[in-house]
Amino acid sequence: MEPLLIESLLADVVSAGIRGLTVSVRSPGQAGAHFSAGVADAETGIAMEPNSYIRISSVTKIFTATAVLQLVADGRVMLDEPAAGLLPRDVGSHVDGVTVRQLLNHTSGLLEPELLLFPSIREGSLESVVRHADRALEPERLARLALENRPMFAPGEQYWYSNTNYHLLGLIIERVTGRSAYDVIESRVLAPAGLRSTFFPRAKTALPSPSSVGYDSLYQLVDPPVAVTAYDTSFLYTAGALVSTPHDLNQFAATLLRGDLLPPEALDEMTTMIPIADGVEMGLGVQRTTQPSGTYLASEGTFFGTQTVLMATPDGSASWVISVNTTKYQQLGPDGWPLAHPADAAVAALGAYLNEHISRAARP
């Protein structure tokens, strides 16, 4: 690895419009290398620190999937059984025909609750996001709200990413074990992996130090961007509420993929993929992406103002994490999709370099 080159690539990301970012890289036989650039707080100018605490959002899903697959390995859950029988009756009655596997790989057809939770987003405003920073949502209420949306398609027909799937998986964990899903994931996944800086916040909280403000401009519709600090993330539940650090995420990837958390049959199920886009496949809580430098397992999460990507070699021997504190900085095109932005290219160049590094490092 060339630290000067990484620092140059990070500087390019900041120059392109990202306020601050951290990078953590783990290679076989080497201590983790941590880098940062830019500012953690644009108002005070405090510099971004390596290995800062981050809201990892949907990267949480791989942790939740691991807990579910542990229950599968224990014989307490079956992947292809109907999810309805494992859920509270008033929730399960709305997911007829959906299996546990379809929740895990996002082929249930169930929709997101985001626009119901934050209606101002439809109007190009983050007002409801700011207003509901203190809102606490119980898991069952969250699930019932999400299920007010009619499914997009019959279960198993196609792929559609939805947090609702992982809200329901959290409820399944609770119903099967009789314990809080947070407690189960912490005791059966986080503790055995030795993750000392990863946790579920139980209420509204500012992140521990060091951490960063998150900046979200809703595709340049909000100026100045909304600055997110303390937030009650119960609305994300087991789909995205975890807080972690880049070091812990790298350690988790190594522990999971070398088979320390799941038996071989369950890990094989996790990495059994369906195609979802050109060069991208979806497994049970984890994606597989094919790049010019090789094939990698990946997980990505976006919170208001924070985006985190975890990428690992399939055997978990090498991995990297990038986390940025600026999101939705692009403009939207006529089709409603974000237009290309210089920051996208700068982050992609950094990721490509890191992929090449971990691919080389993992070779025998």
Side-chain angles (χ1 to χ4, degrees):
M1 182 184 299
E2 302 174 59
L4 290 178
L5 178 54
I6 289 186
E7 290 172 5
S8 176
L9 290 167
L10 265 66
D12 289 345
V13 173
V14 173
S15 295
I18 300 297
R19 287 168 176 76
L21 73 158
T22 63
V23 170
S24 179
V25 188
R26 185 184 53 79
S27 303
Q30 298 181 10
H34 307 295
F35 305 87
S36 63
V39 296
D41 186 326
E43 184 174 345
T44 64
I46 293 174
M48 198 77 162
E49 292 191 35
N51 206 38
S52 295
Y53 284 92
I54 47 179
R55 292 184 176 91
I56 65 172
S57 193
S58 286
V59 180
T60 302
K61 290 180 174 65
I62 192 171
F63 293 83
T64 301
T66 299
V68 171
L69 285 166
Q70 288 175 339
L71 296 176
V72 171
D74 292 345
R76 303 173 73 181
V77 172
M78 293 183 291
L79 283 173
D80 295 310
E81 71 176 301
L86 301 172
L87 289 162
R89 183 174 301 176
D90 60 341
V91 175
S93 61
H94 294 280
V95 294
D96 187 42
V98 175
T99 67
V100 174
R101 185 188 301 275
Q102 288 164 347
L103 296 177
L104 284 162
N105 68 9
H106 298 284
T107 58
S108 69
L110 301 174
L111 288 176
E112 284 276 351
E114 183 178 57
L115 292 179
L116 294 173
L117 293 171
F118 305 106
S120 71
I121 290 176
R122 291 182 183 273
E123 301 161 5
S125 166
L126 292 172
E127 178 274 331
S128 57
V129 173
V130 175
R131 176 160 44 91
H132 291 307
D134 294 325
R135 176 175 57 185
L137 286 172
E138 293 298 318
E140 283 195 40
R141 181 186 169 204
L142 177 64
R144 289 194 298 271
L145 180 63
L147 294 170
E148 289 180 11
N149 289 312
R150 293 178 60 85
M152 285 191 66
F153 48 80
E157 281 191 352
Q158 54 185 291
Y159 167 88
W160 185 263
Y161 188 92
S162 173
N163 281 328
T164 301
N165 294 310
Y166 277 74
H167 297 162
L168 298 181
L169 288 167
L171 291 176
I172 287 173
I173 292 171
E174 297 198 352
R175 189 80 179 273
V176 169
T177 65
R179 300 167 58 199
S180 156
Y182 290 171
D183 289 344
V184 172
I185 294 169
E186 287 175 346
S187 65
R188 296 197 57 166
V189 180
L190 305 188
L195 308 185
R196 299 182 179 180
S197 300
T198 303
F199 62 92
F200 284 104
R202 292 325 205 253
K204 179 190 176 184
T205 180
L207 296 179
S209 181
S211 60
S212 172
V213 178
Y215 296 92
D216 193 307
S217 59
L218 194 60
Y219 303 110
Q220 299 189 22
L221 297 175
V222 177
D223 187 24
V226 165
V228 178
T229 52
Y231 211 94
D232 188 318
T233 55
S234 59
F235 75 96
L236 290 171
Y237 185 42
T238 47
L242 272 175
V243 171
S244 189
T245 63
H247 172 272
D248 267 19
L249 291 180
N250 277 325
Q251 182 169 323
F252 173 67
T255 306
L256 173 66
L257 297 176
R258 71 181 174 222
D260 290 356
L261 298 175
L262 293 172
E265 298 82 2
L267 191 55
D268 286 346
E269 290 283 9
M270 174 177 271
T271 54
T272 297
M273 303 285 170
I274 58 171
I276 60 172
D278 186 25
V280 183
E281 301 168 288
M282 186 76 217
L284 307 186
V286 64
Q287 292 185 359
R288 183 165 61 206
T289 177
T290 301
Q291 305 289 335
S293 55
T295 298
Y296 308 93
L297 297 179
S299 186
E300 180 177 346
T302 302
F303 185 68
F304 301 117
T306 306
Q307 186 171 29
T308 302
V309 178
L310 167 64
M311 194 85 72
T313 55
D315 63 357
S317 63
S319 60
W320 57 257
V321 175
I322 296 175
S323 185
V324 302
N325 68 359
T326 309
T327 57
K328 300 185 183 71
Y329 46 80
Q330 309 95 332
Q331 287 185 321
L332 294 179
D335 59 358
W337 290 95
L339 296 171
H341 187 281
D344 299 328
V347 172
L350 173 61
Y353 172 77
L354 295 174
N355 280 342
E356 291 175 1
H357 168 74
I358 65 171
S359 181
R360 289 195 305 269
R363 290 174 191 148

